[in-house]
Amino acid sequence: MFKLYQLLKKHKKKLSMYNHTKGVLIITLFLCVFSNICISMILFSDIKFPHENNILYKYLFDMLNLVFILISFILLQWTKFLVKEAYVILSVGLFLWGCSVLTTIYNDVSIQPIWVSLWIYNVFKTIGILLLLTGIIIAIKKTNKQCNYFKMLATIDDLTELPNRRYFYDELRKHENKMLLFLMIDIDDFKKINDKYGHEEGDRILHCFGKVLLNYKCENIFSARLGGDEFSAFIISNDKQKAVIFAEYLLNEITKIIVKDENHMTLSIGIAYKSPVESNKIGLQRADKALYKAKSNNRNRFEWE
């Protein structure tokens, strides 16, 4: 078996090599800029009238552009959140743009051949900017995808694949001024099953019941796991028969989940409604009272409040 410390050691070695490569690249770029400044100043000393045609000012602004690109490149190397594709494309784009600026700097102090001063400058700059735009678009898309993934992790219960408590109450707030039917659902004697058969069997039962709720195909019903063996649902409707049909479906489907000793599971369900002028909190409280009524009446049933 591959042990954890071996995996960490391997990852640390790769990370160290990766950072070493970045460091060498950055130092090389610094040396290039420094040598460029030295060479440019030497060549500038041979120009008798550097202020004519604003040559000196153009040179200084081009140097500022090169320094800006260099700083941007260095910051990019230390960025941790970018995906690999965006990082590579942005790095190449900045590098080509920097090469184009370097070409025009040399052209400021010493006239270069037309294929250097015109073609290399324009081609490298155009490709570099296009790559930068492409890298930014990829980075935004990947970041949005990661944000959506983390949002899903924060709102979905991984065991049952149902919405969790936070998602349930967030969704419920959107329907504050509507007629709603509430269901509070508990798996009967779930703690005894956990104690007798272990949490692995309990998790299996929760997962199976989550599938039961997910497989119910009906509009305007939102189900969630609130925690433990406690589930809840609300129906956006004034038709009480929809709640009855849903509850009967759950009571029937839960019997198909068999425990190890071939005993089937049962549910206790509390149903309540609330009018548009009442708060959702009142509806949930009524459903909770109905749930305890179902438990006190020997479970395996639904009750109204």
Side-chain angles (χ1 to χ4, degrees), residues 169 172 176 182 274 278-288:
Y169 284 106
L172 191 56
E176 186 70 40
F182 290 95
K274 72 102 185 175
E278 294 177 311
S279 68
N280 290 331
K281 185 177 179 181
I282 291 175
L284 287 170
Q285 288 175 345
R286 287 176 182 161
D288 204 42

Side-chain angles (χ1 to χ4, degrees), residues 78-106:
W78 277 307
T79 301
K80 301 295 184 182
F81 61 88
L82 282 177
V83 294
K84 184 178 180 180
E85 295 91 338
Y87 162 75
V88 171
I89 292 173
L90 287 171
S91 296
V92 174
L94 282 172
F95 179 78
L96 292 178
W97 193 6
C99 289
S100 70
V101 175
L102 195 62
T103 302
T104 193
I105 287 174
Y106 279 115

Side-chain angles (χ1 to χ4, degrees), residues 216-222 234-237 242 246:
Y216 189 74
K217 305 299 182 183
C218 184
E219 294 183 357
N220 299 328
I221 294 183
F222 188 89
F234 66 85
I235 307 173
I236 308 170
S237 175
K242 285 188 176 181
F246 185 39

Side-chain angles (χ1 to χ4, degrees), residues 14-136:
K14 286 184 177 180
L15 189 62
S16 177
M17 293 173 62
Y18 186 58
N19 290 334
H20 180 69
T21 304
K22 283 185 176 182
V24 171
L25 185 58
I26 292 171
I27 291 172
T28 303
L29 286 172
F30 264 122
L31 292 174
C32 288
V33 172
F34 181 74
S35 61
N36 173 65
I37 293 173
C38 294
I39 295 171
S40 299
M41 295 307 294
I42 293 171
L43 293 173
F44 243 100
S45 63
D46 295 333
I47 300 177
K48 294 181 180 180
F49 305 103
H51 291 281
E52 287 186 0
N53 300 321
N54 295 320
I55 295 176
L56 179 60
Y57 300 116
K58 185 177 184 303
Y59 168 79
L60 291 176
F61 277 112
D62 287 337
M63 281 302 303
L64 284 174
N65 286 336
L66 184 61
V67 171
F68 169 76
I69 293 172
L70 177 62
I71 292 173
S72 300
F73 188 87
I74 292 171
L75 292 175
L76 179 64
Q77 305 313 304
W78 277 307
T79 301
K80 301 295 184 182
F81 61 88
L82 282 177
V83 294
K84 184 178 180 180
E85 295 91 338
Y87 162 75
V88 171
I89 292 173
L90 287 171
S91 296
V92 174
L94 282 172
F95 179 78
L96 292 178
W97 193 6
C99 289
S100 70
V101 175
L102 195 62
T103 302
T104 193
I105 287 174
Y106 279 115
N107 196 57
D108 290 338
V109 295
S110 179
I111 301 301
Q112 304 294 318
I114 190 68
W115 65 272
V116 174
S117 61
L118 181 61
W119 288 104
I120 290 184
Y121 170 73
N122 286 313
V123 171
F124 277 26
K125 183 179 180 182
T126 302
I127 295 175
I129 292 175
L130 287 175
L131 287 175
L132 283 174
L133 292 174
T134 304
I136 291 171

Side-chain angles (χ1 to χ4, degrees), residues 107-285:
N107 196 57
D108 290 338
V109 295
S110 179
I111 301 301
Q112 304 294 318
I114 190 68
W115 65 272
V116 174
S117 61
L118 181 61
W119 288 104
I120 290 184
Y121 170 73
N122 286 313
V123 171
F124 277 26
K125 183 179 180 182
T126 302
I127 295 175
I129 292 175
L130 287 175
L131 287 175
L132 283 174
L133 292 174
T134 304
I136 291 171
I137 292 171
I138 291 175
I140 292 173
K141 286 185 176 180
K142 294 289 185 179
T143 302
N144 286 336
K145 187 176 180 179
Q146 288 179 344
C147 287
N148 291 333
Y149 174 70
F150 290 131
K151 182 180 179 181
M152 183 193 71
L153 290 180
T155 56
I156 301 299
D157 176 61
D158 60 342
L159 180 60
T160 61
E161 300 178 13
L162 288 167
N164 60 15
R165 178 185 291 269
R166 179 188 292 110
Y167 195 0
F168 178 79
Y169 284 106
D170 285 345
E171 192 68 23
L172 191 56
R173 291 189 196 97
K174 300 176 184 178
H175 309 286
E176 186 70 40
N177 299 319
K178 297 179 182 178
M179 173 70 182
L180 297 178
L181 296 161
F182 290 95
L183 290 88
M184 296 295 289
I185 309 159
D186 263 9
I187 299 176
D188 294 332
D189 299 320
F190 183 74
K191 186 177 183 303
K192 292 181 181 179
I193 293 170
N194 261 342
D195 293 340
K196 185 175 180 180
Y197 300 106
H199 290 282
E200 184 176 350
E201 180 67 8
D203 288 348
R204 185 189 67 83
I205 292 170
L206 291 173
H207 177 75
C208 291
F209 184 63
K211 291 295 184 183
V212 169
L213 289 168
L214 288 171
N215 290 336
Y216 189 74
K217 305 299 182 183
C218 184
E219 294 183 357
N220 299 328
I221 294 183
F222 188 89
S223 304
R225 181 191 179 195
L226 301 186
D229 63 325
E230 183 182 1
F231 298 81
S232 186
F234 66 85
I235 307 173
I236 308 170
S237 175
N238 57 2
D239 185 1
K240 297 181 179 179
Q241 189 61 27
K242 285 188 176 181
V244 173
I245 294 172
F246 185 39
E248 289 176 345
Y249 161 80
L250 295 178
L251 290 171
N252 179 64
E253 290 297 314
I254 193 70
T255 60
K256 298 177 183 179
I257 301 175
I258 306 298
V259 194
K260 286 185 176 180
D261 62 359
E262 298 186 358
N263 290 328
H264 62 78
M265 305 300 302
T266 61
L267 294 175
S268 295
I269 304 174
I271 311 176
Y273 70 93
K274 72 102 185 175
S275 65
V277 296
E278 294 177 311
S279 68
N280 290 331
K281 185 177 179 181
I282 291 175
L284 287 170
Q285 288 175 345

